[in-house]
Amino acid sequence: MIKKAILTGGGRATRLRPITTTINKHLIPLANKPMIFYAIEKVVEAGVTEIAINLNPGETELQKVVGDGSRWGVKIHYYEQTGGPQGIAHVVNLAKDWAGDEPFIFYLSDNIVLSSIKPLVDRFEKEKLDCLLAFAQVPDPERFGVPQFDSAGKLIDVLEKPADPPSDYAVTGIYIYNSKFFDAFGQIEKSARGEYEISSIHSYFLKNGQSVGYEKIDGWWKDTGKPDDLLIANQLIMDKLPAEEFKNEGEIETGSRVLGKVKIGKGSKISAGTQIFGPVMIGENCLLEACRIGPHTTISSGAEIRSAEIERSIIFENVDIDSKIKIVDSIIGRNTSIVSGHLDKPQTHKMILGDNTFIEM
């Protein structure tokens, strides 16, 4: 039984800026739960009892949110990504002493998988593999590691972000290895972009007689590398959640309308004139007044929404929206305020925006 897992908790997440300018991407809430929690739950379900999470140097917030693992009945160890960003394979190698001679799962925590990964673990153990990879069919394989098959359908190589992909499959961010990973790491070199690529490990395995298996993921998989990916992941997670996850622990005033699967946290108040159409998740101590909240919207704790219409969006903690504005397919960061300006002509919009902000109006 595989008892150890290495999870990512670092990285720069430049494609998610400005969201990740002030928050670790692995703590971004999906269905009002930090993204990394889903990765932890998946490996725990597969039988893992010890988890190592890599961190950017100086990181403190992730450890506070995740804790020591006791809420999942596991032990969590943290280690810093020393030497600067040198690639995913380097992240794993830094945990060499912690992993020891035991097999382990390596899970990129910004990957969301709806199906269980236990069948992958079972196959790895049953077939006594050195490495097991999970593949998913994607429309844009050039963004990922891509498996290459021969004419008979046998896996012969894995290429990192090829300009001309040899297949329409991506290697997902779920891997299982034995300790031969660390031997392979000692044999690979940095790529042209200056990183130790995880695909180089797989290529070395395949070309040097190691036993490499693969599974095609039947359930839904998503790499949340871009803002649109986060919104899609948020939507699909909400659709997958059972009805019992949508409980009302707040106050719903007469004159409001709440339809479908809607979760309302403790201390939250839905005032008269508000309309909510699920699936919607509302955190604790929120206030919604005379607004309309459409499907696939999550509102984190402490938010106050007045007059606005919001659909298919992720609203972070302590957001204040007081404006007759329609917000769709949006991600609103923590402590953001959106308020109506004066209606003096010509009409103006006052904005205080971070770097790399995108606005569609």
Side-chain angles (χ1 to χ4, degrees):
M1 186 66 121
I2 295 178
K3 296 296 184 182
K4 291 187 174 183
I6 300 170
L7 272 57
T8 53
R12 292 166 290 178
T14 55
R15 289 182 297 166
L16 289 173
R17 290 178 181 169
I19 305 165
T20 50
T21 302
T22 55
I23 185 173
N24 185 310
K25 70 173 178 179
H26 301 97
L27 297 180
I28 292 173
L30 297 178
N32 273 2
K33 184 162 65 175
M35 188 191 308
I36 196 171
F37 282 23
Y38 295 99
I40 294 171
E41 289 167 359
K42 289 297 179 183
V43 298
V44 170
E45 180 193 22
V48 163
T49 58
E50 296 182 61
I51 296 171
I53 301 177
N54 91 292
L55 304 168
N56 291 329
E59 171 72 47
T60 58
E61 187 176 12
L62 189 140
Q63 302 96 301
K64 292 177 183 177
V65 173
V66 176
D68 62 3
S70 56
R71 78 172 72 189
W72 298 281
V74 300
K75 294 180 180 179
I76 293 181
H77 163 76
Y78 299 96
Y79 67 100
E80 285 194 351
Q81 189 170 333
T82 57
Q86 298 186 55
I88 295 298
H90 183 251
V91 168
V92 179
N93 193 61
L94 288 172
K96 179 179 179 179
D97 292 341
W98 177 85
D101 294 327
E102 297 182 50
F104 60 91
I105 299 169
F106 178 43
Y107 199 125
L108 302 185
S109 303
D110 57 355
N111 281 231
I112 299 297
V113 179
L114 296 188
S115 58
S116 172
I117 66 168
K118 192 173 187 309
L120 305 182
V121 174
D122 292 342
R123 182 180 170 193
F124 178 88
E125 294 175 333
K126 181 179 179 180
E127 298 183 14
K128 295 181 170 57
L129 298 172
D130 298 311
C131 169
L132 181 70
L133 307 175
F135 298 159
Q137 203 164 17
V138 295
D140 51 355
E142 65 277 0
R143 289 178 51 203
F144 306 94
V146 179
Q148 182 178 9
F149 305 93
D150 65 15
S151 58
K154 180 182 177 182
L155 178 64
I156 58 172
D157 204 356
V158 176
L159 308 178
E160 183 65 22
K161 297 181 174 65
D164 185 17
S167 72
D168 59 353
Y169 282 92
V171 181
T172 71
I174 306 164
Y175 320 88
I176 307 177
Y177 304 106
N178 60 20
S179 60
K180 290 181 181 179
F181 175 97
F182 303 107
D183 297 329
F185 184 84
Q187 302 301 315
I188 67 171
E189 297 181 353
K190 287 185 177 180
S191 66
R193 62 178 187 160
E195 296 189 358
Y196 292 104
E197 309 287 0
I198 200 75
S199 293
S200 298
I201 297 288
H202 307 146
S203 184
Y204 179 87
F205 271 33
L206 288 163
K207 294 177 180 179
N208 288 274
Q210 307 304 327
S211 179
V212 179
Y214 68 88
E215 285 279 348
K216 295 176 181 177
I217 291 182
D218 293 328
W220 179 84
W221 164 79
K222 190 68 179 176
D223 167 72
T224 56
K226 298 184 296 184
D228 285 350
D229 298 327
L230 291 173
L231 292 168
I232 294 170
N234 193 58
Q235 175 177 332
L236 292 174
I237 291 171
M238 293 177 74
D239 284 341
K240 183 74 172 181
L241 288 173
E244 54 265 29
E245 291 287 333
F246 294 85
K247 297 178 181 178
N248 172 27
E249 298 179 287
E251 177 186 353
I252 302 176
E253 285 189 351
T254 302
S256 58
R257 188 182 184 195
V258 179
L259 299 175
K261 297 192 299 182
V262 177
K263 180 176 182 178
I264 303 172
K266 294 179 181 178
S268 290
K269 181 178 180 180
I270 312 302
S271 295
T274 295
Q275 300 180 69
I276 304 176
F277 303 92
V280 166
M281 305 190 82
I282 300 167
E284 297 182 352
N285 301 312
C286 294
L287 174 63
L288 277 65
E289 292 184 351
C291 56
R292 184 188 186 279
I293 310 299
H296 301 116
T297 297
T298 56
I299 300 173
S300 295
S301 297
E304 296 189 6
I305 315 291
R306 298 176 179 87
S307 303
E309 294 185 35
I310 305 175
E311 294 182 10
R312 301 189 305 276
S313 294
I314 301 173
I315 310 299
F316 284 32
E317 293 180 349
N318 301 317
V319 166
D320 181 8
I321 301 175
D322 188 356
S323 177
K324 290 185 178 180
I325 186 173
K326 186 168 185 178
I327 298 172
V328 179
D329 298 326
S330 297
I331 302 172
I332 310 296
R334 295 178 295 187
N335 304 307
T336 296
S337 294
I338 302 175
V339 298
S340 295
H342 297 291
L343 298 180
D344 297 333
K345 294 183 180 181
Q347 186 172 348
T348 60
H349 303 276
K350 181 177 180 180
M351 304 177 186
I352 302 174
L353 308 172
D355 293 345
N356 305 304
T357 296
F358 169 79
I359 299 176
E360 182 174 306
M361 299 182 68

